[in-house]
Amino acid sequence: MKDRLDAIQARYDYLQNELSQPDIASDIERMTKLSKELSSLEPTVEATKTYEELLNQLADLKEIAKDEDPEMRDWAHSEIPAVKESIEAQELLLQKLLVPKDPNDDKNIIMEIRGAAGGDEANIFAGDLFRMYTKYFEHQGFKYEVIQAVENEGGGYSQIELSITGNGPFKYLKYESGAHRVQRVPQTESQGRVHTSTATVVVLPEAEAIDFELNMNELRIDTYRSSGNGGQSVNTTDSAVRITHEPTGTVVTCQDGKSQHENKATALRVMRSRLFDQLQQEQMAKAGEERRSKIGTGDRSEKIRTYNYPQNRITDHRIGFTIQQLDRVMEGKLEPVIDALLDEELKRKLSGN
């Protein structure tokens, strides 16, 4: 562990030196990249400093424990257990900090929620998930913006796309991708029978220009007249934007912004993120099997969670986690579920899996 901590300290010192050079301000891309890396290393550097101080403190106490003065010896012996306990806790913290970090954890995200199997009830459930997530965003201090929404006549959404920004939302929401299953009695069910429906969620890290550069020559950009809610421009101007990435056939549409310019900028952000995600998936496939520490595949067809209303139960199938707090979860209190997923991820990484 000491070798790794020394290497991190050396890298930290190098980055500080590079960022202090006069010419760094002329290279914004490099400065941004180095600043982000420096910031990511700071918690480990600070924890290492505390750890070394505790080790020095323990060494001093052991010397005092040999003192000729019995009072000083007794005092030192009484202090040593607490310092050793602090050292053990600090070692555990350092182990966690040394676990390889997902490079996308600090990123903002693009989230897509769709009604899947179950007709109107699936779309209603997609709307319930949208409400659940937005309440969770509020609890966490994340901000969200609706990019595209297709409302369903029976309630909810057949599709809704969001942009979520804040202090690393991808870290907390990356395991939400997949099929979410609901078991409950629909409002339209006259016999009181429990139905099963599904909605799918996809979470993508939002790619920045330094992550993935779009080739504008590969894009076809079409404009058309907006429909539905969206302000005075709706149904009066061609403010909606559809962008097609011709090599892959990937299509992004946006019409909820106030202007064509705003919709185009948002659609380009989403397109960059989708293509960046495709590139990452291809790279992982070429490298062999996906990282074993990953919880689930992230595929929208994978059933990840069941929301059982009659029993007020929510179960995450990937880690076998169940709590009887569905009512609280649907009000945005997702922390117990997300914390369990993060704990499992850390446990797998610490065990080397």
Side-chain angles (χ1 to χ4, degrees):
M1 185 170 75
K2 186 179 185 305
D3 290 344
R4 293 180 66 189
L5 293 175
D6 288 345
I8 288 172
Q9 182 66 58
R11 179 65 180 172
Y12 184 82
D13 294 340
Y14 167 78
L15 292 170
Q16 282 191 315
N17 182 63
E18 286 296 297
L19 287 166
S20 67
Q21 298 303 313
D23 60 341
I24 191 68
S26 61
D27 190 343
I28 299 300
E29 184 176 322
R30 176 171 165 76
M31 184 173 70
T32 302
K33 187 175 181 180
L34 295 183
S35 297
K36 281 188 174 183
E37 186 181 354
L38 183 74
S39 179
S40 72
L41 296 179
E42 276 178 359
T44 306
V45 170
E46 289 300 316
T48 302
K49 183 180 178 182
T50 302
Y51 179 61
E52 290 173 345
E53 289 172 353
L54 287 167
L55 289 176
N56 291 333
Q57 189 177 342
L58 179 62
D60 291 342
L61 285 169
K62 286 181 176 179
E63 284 300 314
I64 296 172
K66 301 173 186 175
D67 198 278
E68 293 180 0
D69 186 338
E71 286 189 10
M72 292 297 290
R73 289 200 307 269
D74 290 345
W75 173 78
H77 281 297
S78 67
E79 291 291 313
I80 285 174
V83 175
K84 283 185 174 179
E85 189 175 328
S86 296
I87 288 173
E88 289 177 4
Q90 199 67 13
E91 284 177 346
L92 180 60
L93 173 61
L94 284 169
Q95 285 177 4
K96 291 179 179 179
L97 289 169
L98 288 174
V99 165
K101 185 181 176 184
D102 187 330
N104 293 323
D105 273 356
D106 294 331
K107 293 186 182 297
N108 296 322
I109 63 175
I110 304 295
M111 174 181 277
E112 175 195 280
I113 307 170
R114 288 176 179 264
D120 283 345
E121 173 63 10
N123 294 326
I124 292 170
F125 180 50
D128 293 338
L129 289 177
F130 167 68
R131 179 176 176 274
M132 175 189 77
Y133 285 126
T134 54
K135 284 185 170 291
Y136 174 73
F137 301 155
E138 292 170 7
H139 297 161
Q140 298 298 312
F142 300 152
K143 295 182 179 180
Y144 73 92
E145 169 192 357
V146 175
I147 297 171
Q148 172 86 339
V150 181
E151 295 184 13
N152 179 58
E153 291 183 3
Y157 300 91
S158 59
Q159 176 187 351
I160 185 164
E161 288 182 86
L162 314 167
S163 168
I164 299 100
T165 58
N167 186 19
F170 185 76
K171 174 182 178 179
Y172 301 97
L173 292 156
K174 59 185 172 184
Y175 291 128
E176 295 304 294
S177 290
H180 296 240
R181 181 175 69 175
V182 63
Q183 295 174 327
R184 65 184 177 188
V185 179
Q187 295 177 356
T188 55
E189 171 56 57
S190 58
Q191 304 295 321
R193 292 172 297 188
V194 174
H195 286 225
T196 298
S197 305
T198 59
T200 60
V201 176
V202 175
V203 175
L204 304 177
E206 184 170 338
E208 301 172 22
I210 58 175
D211 298 318
F212 186 87
E213 185 176 353
L214 277 175
N215 184 346
M216 298 301 291
N217 293 326
E218 296 179 342
L219 303 179
R220 187 178 75 246
I221 301 176
D222 302 309
T223 59
Y224 59 99
R225 194 152 295 183
S226 303
S227 61
N229 298 326
Q232 293 180 347
S233 66
V234 170
N235 295 321
T236 59
T237 61
D238 291 342
S239 61
V241 174
R242 180 190 300 109
I243 300 179
T244 304
H245 183 245
E246 295 188 322
T248 63
T250 303
V251 177
V252 173
T253 60
C254 185
Q255 67 171 27
D256 283 20
K258 296 177 181 178
S259 67
Q260 183 185 116
H261 177 76
E262 184 177 325
N263 284 329
K264 179 181 176 182
T266 301
L268 286 171
R269 282 170 48 210
V270 177
M271 179 62 77
R272 179 182 290 112
S273 299
R274 288 190 178 174
L275 295 177
F276 176 60
D277 181 67
Q278 289 176 19
L279 177 64
Q280 287 189 310
Q281 297 299 327
E282 289 170 4
Q283 289 174 342
M284 283 193 289
K286 287 179 182 177
E289 114 182 41
E290 287 194 45
R291 293 164 296 172
R292 287 177 292 168
S293 62
K294 197 172 191 297
I295 299 170
T297 64
D299 190 279
R300 72 174 68 193
S301 64
E302 179 191 17
K303 183 185 71 176
I304 65 166
R305 196 174 295 152
T306 293
Y307 303 71
N308 186 299
Y309 276 74
Q311 298 179 25
N312 194 36
R313 184 183 73 228
I314 182 166
T315 299
D316 194 288
H317 303 289
R318 296 163 296 181
I319 59 173
F321 178 79
T322 297
I323 51 171
Q324 309 287 140
Q325 297 179 16
L326 178 58
D327 52 344
R328 290 172 54 81
V329 168
M330 297 310 292
E331 289 300 316
K333 304 290 175 54
L334 264 169
E335 288 84 356
V337 181
I338 289 175
D339 288 347
L341 288 161
L342 292 174
D343 287 346
E344 177 64 20
E345 174 189 34
L346 179 60
K347 192 187 305 180
R348 294 185 185 188
K349 286 181 175 178
L350 286 174
S351 67
N353 289 324

